[in-house]
Amino acid sequence: MSIVIPQELIERLAAARRVAVLTGAGISAESGIPTFRDALTGLWANYDPQELATPEGFARNPKLVWEWYAERRARIAGVAPNPGHIALAALEKRFERFTLVTQNIDSLHQRAGSREVVELHGNIARVKCSVEQTVASPIPQDDSPPRCHCGAYLRPDVVWFGEMLPADALARAEEAAEHCEVFLSIGTSAQVYPAAELPLRALSAGATVVEINPERTALTRHTQFSLQGPAGAILPQLLARLEATCRTGP
Ligand code: BV8
C-alpha cells in the first residue's frame, strides 16, 4: 500500500533535531494484538474494558481481571514487533533527541530495538503487590491471582482507569512534547487522558503535529499532516523518504 507522504513533511523531519512520538494500541495491531477497544472479541465480548482495567473491577472480581491480563500476556509472548515498530527504532537513530512515549504495555517497542521508551501505562510483563506496590518477579503461577508474601493479591503493574500515571514517565513525556520540532501521534484514538493531551501540548509549543492512523480521530483536525493508513506501511515509507532526502541534501 502506498500512502502519499508530502515532501514538506519529510523536509520538516529532515530539519528537526528533536522528535517526540506517542503510540497507542494501533501500532501493535499489525503484530496481531487486538487494539484496546476491540480486544474484547470472543471471551471478553461481554465486558467493558473500562470495567476490567480499574481498581474497582479488580476488587470486585480479582480472578476475572487477573485471567484477562494472563490471556493478554500469553498472546503478547507469541507475537513479534512489526515493520512499524522496527521503523521507529531506526528513526530514533536519525535524531539528536527522539522520545518514544507509548500507551502500550506490550514491550514491542523495546523488542524492536527502541532505546528511549517512556511507558505511560506500565507493562503487562510485570506484576506487583496490590498493597506494597513492590514488583514480584518471576510471576507466580500457583494461583489466580497469586498473593504477595504480605497476603495481599498480586496485580498487573499497569495504570488502570482512575489511577495516577507514574509521575516521572508523565514528566518525561510532557517535556519531550513541549521541546520537539515534530510530534508523531501513531495508532491511538486519542481518547484517554492525560496521554491524549501530549500532541496538543506539542502543538501549543509550536511543533508540527503528524497523525498516522487509518481512521480520523479527535486529534485529526488539530494536525498539520494526517497520514491515513496502517503504521506498518507508512513508517517504513517515511523512513525511506527521509533517508533519500538526507542523502541528496535539501
Ligand atoms: C488519570 C493500561 C488522574 C491498562 C490504560 C473519570 C474518572 C476517572 C478518570 C477519568 C474520568 N474521566 C476521564 C478520566 C481520565 C481517564 C480517561 O482518560 N478516560 C477516558 C476513557 C475518557 N484517564 C485515567 O483514568 C488515567 N488516569 O487520569 O489519573 C485521575 C485520577 C482519578 C480521577 C480523575 C483523574 C489513566 C488512564 C490509563 C488507563 N490504562 N491501559 C490496560 O491496557 O489494560 S488505557 C488503554 O486504553 C491504553 O493504554 C490506551 O491508553 C487506551 C486505548 O487507547 P488506544 O491505545 O488509542 O487504543 P484504541 O483501541 O482506543 O485505538 C486504536 C487506534 O489505532 C484507533 O484509532 C485505530 O484506528 C488505530 N489503528 C488500528 N490499526 C492501526 C491503527 N493505527 C495505525 N496502524 C494500524 N495498523
Side-chain angles (χ1 to χ4, degrees), residues 1-13 91 184 210-212 225-231 233-242 245:
M1 159 184 281
S2 182
I3 308 277
V4 175
I5 300 177
Q7 185 56 24
E8 170 63 21
L9 167 56
I10 300 298
E11 280 160 18
R12 290 193 195 187
L13 266 174
L91 275 170
L184 307 176
V210 185
E211 182 172 57
I212 296 175
F225 298 94
S226 169
L227 308 179
Q228 299 208 355
I234 292 174
L235 286 167
Q237 286 179 45
L238 195 73
L239 175 65
R241 288 277 301 280
L242 182 64
T245 297

Side-chain angles (χ1 to χ4, degrees), residues 12 30 32 34 41 45 60 88 92 99 136 199 241:
R12 290 193 195 187
E30 291 163 86
T41 52
R60 202 169 27 253
L88 281 178
E92 179 180 39
T99 307
R241 288 277 301 280

Side-chain angles (χ1 to χ4, degrees), residues 64-112:
L64 175 67
V65 173
W66 178 267
E67 287 174 356
W68 181 45
Y69 281 91
E71 189 266 338
R72 290 170 67 189
R73 193 178 299 119
R75 183 194 290 254
I76 286 165
V79 303
N82 66 60
H85 295 107
I86 293 162
L88 281 178
L91 275 170
E92 179 180 39
K93 300 182 174 75
R94 307 192 63 85
F95 297 94
E96 192 177 305
R97 274 203 67 194
F98 188 94
T99 307
L100 174 49
V101 180
T102 189
Q103 301 170 86
N104 299 340
I105 60 175
D106 59 28
S107 308
L108 287 177
H109 286 303
Q110 295 92 323
R111 288 175 56 195

Side-chain angles (χ1 to χ4, degrees), residues 24-26 29-30 35-37 50 53 68-69 72 103-105 121 158-165 187-194 212-215 217 229-231:
E30 291 163 86
T35 62
F36 198 82
R37 282 167 178 71
Q50 288 170 39
W68 181 45
Y69 281 91
R72 290 170 67 189
Q103 301 170 86
N104 299 340
I105 60 175
H121 296 159
V158 301
V159 179
W160 280 332
F161 287 101
E163 293 186 322
M164 303 300 280
L165 276 59
T188 181
S189 60
Q191 293 177 43
V192 172
Y193 286 81
I212 296 175
N213 193 320
E215 295 168 8
T217 71

